[in-house]
Structures are given as C-alpha cells and as structure tokens.
C-alpha cells in the first residue's frame, strides 16, 4: 500500500462493544489527554502488528510500547481509533513507516 500526501483508506474504529480484530494491520491509538512534557506532547500512537487483539491487550497491560506503558502508568486512557488491514506483518510495518513520514496526518 503506497501512501501519498493523504491517509490511505482504512477502517474508522470505535471499540465500544466491538470485538478487536486478530489480523495483520497498522493501527492508530488516541490518548484521552496528552502525554509528555512542556517541550513535547503527543496524543497518538501509530503501530503495526500481526494480531491486533493480542497487541492491544499488551498495550492495556503496560507491556506493549514504551509510549502506551507511560500512559498506563499515568492513568491516561486510550483507544484504537483507526485500523488499516494489511496482508502481512511486513506490509503493516511498511505502511506504519510511510504513515509516520507524513506531516501530522492525524490532526
């Protein structure tokens, strides 16, 4: 999946009552409040995985990425807000890299 200047089509995702899928994807997590210090703050986490359900459970338990671990430690809630399904973990990782190169694609 090639990314231009705009976000590719994906699946807007609201967790409320929804079962988290177990497929390869790139995903976007939004925090309920900014995380960081006076010099740098972030509200979003972009990741990729082979099984979103398993990976999100790791984030919730504080055993996932350092960013979501810090959010858990500070009591900041977060949720998945967008999912881009891919055919493989490698494709998901490539999409994550491309999306991170975009200028502020989530705001």
């Amino acid at each position: 999946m090639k990314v231009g200047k705009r976000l590719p089509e994906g699946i807007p995702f609201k967790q409320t009552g929804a079962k988290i899928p177990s497929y390869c994807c790139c995903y976007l997590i939004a925090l309920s409040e900014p995380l960081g210090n006076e010099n740098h703050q972030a509200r979003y986490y972009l990741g990729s995985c082979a099984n979103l359900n398993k990976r999100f459970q790791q984030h919730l338990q504080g055993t996932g990425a350092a960013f979501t671990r810090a959010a858990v430690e500070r009591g900041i809630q977060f949720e998945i807000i967008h999912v881009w399904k891919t055919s493989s973990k490698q494709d998901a990782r490539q999409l994550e890299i491309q999306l991170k190169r975009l200028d502020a694609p989530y705001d």
Side-chain angles (χ1 to χ4, degrees):
M1 180 181 302
K2 280 284 195 192
V3 176
K5 297 258 183 214
R6 301 177 59 195
L7 281 174
E9 288 290 321
I11 305 164
F13 190 84
K14 271 293 190 194
Q15 285 172 229
T16 314
K19 183 177 187 305
I20 298 174
S22 299
Y23 49 64
C24 296
C25 66
C26 187
Y27 58 95
L28 182 63
I29 289 177
L31 276 62
S32 60
E33 60 187 81
L35 178 64
N37 56 41
E38 62 278 350
N39 296 324
H40 178 75
Q41 293 188 345
R43 290 189 73 130
Y44 299 98
Y45 174 81
L46 183 66
S48 59
C49 63
N51 182 326
L52 183 57
N53 187 21
K54 181 178 176 181
R55 184 65 175 150
F56 192 64
Q57 291 307 312
Q58 292 172 333
H59 287 309
L60 291 174
Q61 294 165 4
T63 59
F67 183 79
T68 53
R69 183 169 45 251
V72 169
E73 290 169 356
R74 289 166 178 78
I76 298 173
Q77 296 184 7
F78 51 87
E79 65 179 346
I80 300 168
I81 61 168
H82 210 88
V83 175
W84 294 270
K85 186 176 181 179
T86 60
S87 58
S88 69
K89 185 176 178 181
Q90 182 178 2
D91 287 348
R93 179 69 178 128
Q94 288 301 315
L95 178 58
E96 176 188 357
I97 291 166
Q98 291 174 9
L99 290 172
K100 285 181 175 179
R101 289 182 181 153
L102 294 177
D103 291 329
Y106 326 120
D107 291 329

